[in-house]
Amino acid sequence: MPNVRVLRDIKARHGVQANEIARRAYLYVARNQTLPPQVRHQAQLQLNTFGKYTRPTTVKNRCHESGRGRGIISEFGLCRFQFRLKALKGELNGVKKASW
């Protein structure tokens, strides 16, 4: 069963993906200085109505196995320790221990 942190990250990823186009449109309007201040202010108010998990900054790469947020090897979605364990067991295709 996934860690609570992993579930929260998955929820954040889905929220960001679902609201990305609308958020970008409102951001464009809010930052466009050629538009009147009232329009920009309304766009900023609309941005504030979005939920917590619709912001792209809430998404964090986490290990799929342990939920660890540091030392992530993004190609596999695993932290370095879990990557090592799975590589030594032979569970990762195309990965083998180096020897020279």
Side-chain angles (χ1 to χ4, degrees), residues 19-37:
N19 296 301
E20 180 181 11
I21 295 172
R23 274 189 64 84
R24 286 186 187 256
Y26 285 130
L27 268 174
Y28 176 78
V29 172
R31 292 179 179 169
N32 189 350
Q33 294 186 350
T34 61
L35 296 174

Side-chain angles (χ1 to χ4, degrees), residues 22-63:
R23 274 189 64 84
R24 286 186 187 256
Y26 285 130
L27 268 174
Y28 176 78
V29 172
R31 292 179 179 169
N32 189 350
Q33 294 186 350
T34 61
L35 296 174
Q38 295 86 5
V39 174
R40 295 177 60 205
H41 182 67
Q42 287 298 322
Q44 187 63 45
L45 290 176
Q46 289 295 323
L47 275 172
N48 292 341
T49 61
F50 282 107
K52 175 181 177 182
Y53 293 122
T54 60
R55 297 184 189 114
T57 56
T58 60
V59 174
K60 181 167 177 61
N61 287 334
R62 292 198 167 272
C63 176

